[in-house]
Amino acid sequence: MGRDDEKTAAARSPALTRGRILEVAGDLVRGEGAPALSMRTLGARLGVTPMAIYRHYAGRDELLVALLDEEFAQVTWPELPTPGAERALEVLLLLHGELVRRPWVLDALTRGDLMAPSAATATDDVLGSLLAAGCSPEQAAHRYSTAWRLILGAAQLDARSAEAEQGLRRPTVQESVRRDAADNGLAALAECGPALAEQRANFGIRGALVLIVYGAEQ
């Protein structure tokens, strides 16, 4: 391609802006997941060199944070109870639901120290509600941290399990272990096996979060 052809192609291409980069990067992570995002891959989709992207974003992490911030800004907040335990529970459930609907966000959050800075408003809301419910700062921090880890773990486990079990034509390994528990001398597992199976099939995040939000520290 000659110099004139290059100029013509550049003129026809959308201007490279932070907004344009975010738009294409968002399409990439929503379609293929956060691990698929690299400056090289993104540059290929934009029709530019990776260095051109670095002029707008210092690196992949900065770009992911910007994407997370943009994604969180799209969350629609419902009417919430006044600050207290019930409000803390509702905000945590909202966060869980948003993560389930956005697998790439879940992937990004569980692979490093990233977060959407705007999501700090939700953290502040939960902590403030727990303080209003009578928790000490230490108790509020403990309950929030425990709930957040539960939310991340439950959403990730559900997503990975659904992916692994799709089209599976045999019992899962967990099912086989529970089935053979009595023969292997695992009396408690044999006794609780049906209840565990029921919990696995019908796990309710609300009930688990209630135990944390309203629970008592040891």
Side-chain angles (χ1 to χ4, degrees), residues 64-73 105 109 113-121 123:
L64 272 173
V65 168
L67 283 170
L68 289 168
D69 225 23
E70 184 179 68
E71 201 77 22
F72 189 81
V105 173
L109 293 177
D113 63 344
L114 306 181
M115 69 169 290
S118 57
T121 57
T123 303

Side-chain angles (χ1 to χ4, degrees), residues 78-91 125 129:
E79 283 291 327
L80 292 167
T82 56
E86 184 61 25
R87 183 183 179 106
L89 178 62
E90 292 304 319
V91 174
D125 200 320
S129 292

Side-chain angles (χ1 to χ4, degrees), residues 151-184:
I151 288 169
L152 284 179
Q156 187 174 45
L157 180 60
D158 287 345
R160 297 287 170 83
S161 295
E163 182 181 354
E165 293 175 14
Q166 188 174 16
L168 192 65
R169 298 177 180 274
R170 59 164 175 77
T172 65
V173 175
Q174 294 98 325
E175 290 168 338
S176 298
V177 170
R178 287 195 295 267
R179 180 194 62 204
D180 300 332
D183 293 339
N184 292 323

Side-chain angles (χ1 to χ4, degrees), residues 4-217:
D4 290 340
D5 292 333
E6 289 179 355
K7 289 180 179 179
T8 300
R12 290 176 178 171
S13 301
L16 188 64
T17 62
R18 286 175 68 92
R20 174 64 179 159
I21 293 170
L22 278 182
E23 178 187 356
V24 176
D27 290 341
L28 176 60
V29 297
R30 281 187 285 272
E32 302 180 29
L37 180 64
S38 71
M39 296 308 207
R40 183 180 298 276
T41 301
L42 184 56
R45 292 205 174 190
L46 286 162
V48 301
T49 65
M51 189 55 64
I53 303 173
Y54 281 114
R55 296 192 186 101
H56 296 271
Y57 291 96
R60 180 177 180 274
D61 281 356
E62 182 180 332
L63 181 53
L64 272 173
V65 168
L67 283 170
L68 289 168
D69 225 23
E70 184 179 68
E71 201 77 22
F72 189 81
Q74 297 174 15
V75 174
T76 300
W77 287 79
E79 283 291 327
L80 292 167
T82 56
E86 184 61 25
R87 183 183 179 106
L89 178 62
E90 292 304 319
V91 174
L92 290 167
L93 286 168
L94 172 70
L95 292 174
H96 175 263
E98 295 301 326
L99 284 177
V100 170
R101 284 187 285 275
R102 295 170 169 84
W104 81 264
V105 173
L106 178 65
D107 211 20
L109 293 177
T110 55
R111 289 175 181 264
D113 63 344
L114 306 181
M115 69 169 290
S118 57
T121 57
T123 303
D124 185 74
D125 200 320
V126 174
L127 290 171
S129 292
L130 290 171
L131 290 172
C135 289
S136 67
E138 293 75 20
Q139 288 173 326
H142 181 213
R143 294 186 192 187
Y144 170 77
S145 298
T146 304
W148 179 239
R149 283 165 174 76
L150 169 66
I151 288 169
L152 284 179
Q156 187 174 45
L157 180 60
D158 287 345
R160 297 287 170 83
S161 295
E163 182 181 354
E165 293 175 14
Q166 188 174 16
L168 192 65
R169 298 177 180 274
R170 59 164 175 77
T172 65
V173 175
Q174 294 98 325
E175 290 168 338
S176 298
V177 170
R178 287 195 295 267
R179 180 194 62 204
D180 300 332
D183 293 339
N184 292 323
L186 304 171
L189 181 56
E191 183 177 354
C192 297
L196 285 172
E198 173 66 20
Q199 281 289 316
R200 187 173 190 274
N202 300 298
F203 176 75
I205 189 70
R206 174 180 283 272
L209 287 172
V210 164
L211 293 175
I212 295 171
V213 170
Y214 291 89
E217 281 69 28

